[in-house]
Amino acid sequence: MDRVSGRLIVYFEDPFWVGIFERVIDKKLSAAKVTFGAEPKDIEVLEFINRNYYHLHFSPEIETTVKETKKNPKRAQRDAKKQILETGIGTKSQQALKLQQEQNKLERKCKSREQKEAENQRLFELKQEKRREKHKGH
């Protein structure tokens, strides 16, 4: 059976507020990073999730372990408070975001290289055309 879970971590990363969306589907974690700017209110975060969640670009999936334990409600409350006090993002999320960043970097390099080659080819053909025009005149 498919098991899906998700969470949003909002923290201050000078000078902006940042949100990390984590989703775990069948023991595979992927993450997406969003910059909010000014500190978002709860209602603004909820509206952002409702409007933009399906447009987020999640990182490639990384294998992770999912613990299947029942928690005492008071323990869950203490853990939630502890997570609120912590800053930063989990290492798995960092790995997923780093992988996405590397893929984007490779895509940009390929695109840049293709554009450069196309420009060089265009200049070469322009020089050839000028050369032909010059020799036609003689």
Side-chain angles (χ1 to χ4, degrees), residues 25 32 39 41-42 44 56-57 69 88 99 105 119 134:
I25 302 173
E39 181 175 6
K41 294 182 174 65
D42 291 344
E44 293 170 339
L56 293 175
H57 297 285
T69 57
L99 186 59
K105 185 178 175 182
E119 181 64 16
K134 185 178 178 184

Side-chain angles (χ1 to χ4, degrees), residues 7-8 19-23 30-36 48-59 100:
R7 71 177 181 166
L8 168 63
I20 301 294
F21 288 88
E22 292 180 344
R23 70 176 177 198
S30 58
K33 185 175 182 180
V34 174
T35 304
F36 288 112
F48 180 86
I49 292 169
N50 288 335
R51 287 189 185 140
N52 302 313
Y53 182 79
Y54 292 104
H55 302 293
L56 293 175
H57 297 285
F58 280 89
S59 67
Q100 182 182 27

Side-chain angles (χ1 to χ4, degrees), residues 104-119:
N104 290 343
K105 185 178 175 182
L106 288 174
E107 288 174 13
R108 273 195 316 274
K109 270 188 171 181
C110 288
K111 199 174 194 179
S112 175
R113 188 181 312 122
E114 288 171 2
Q115 287 175 345
K116 193 174 183 181
E117 288 173 0
E119 181 64 16

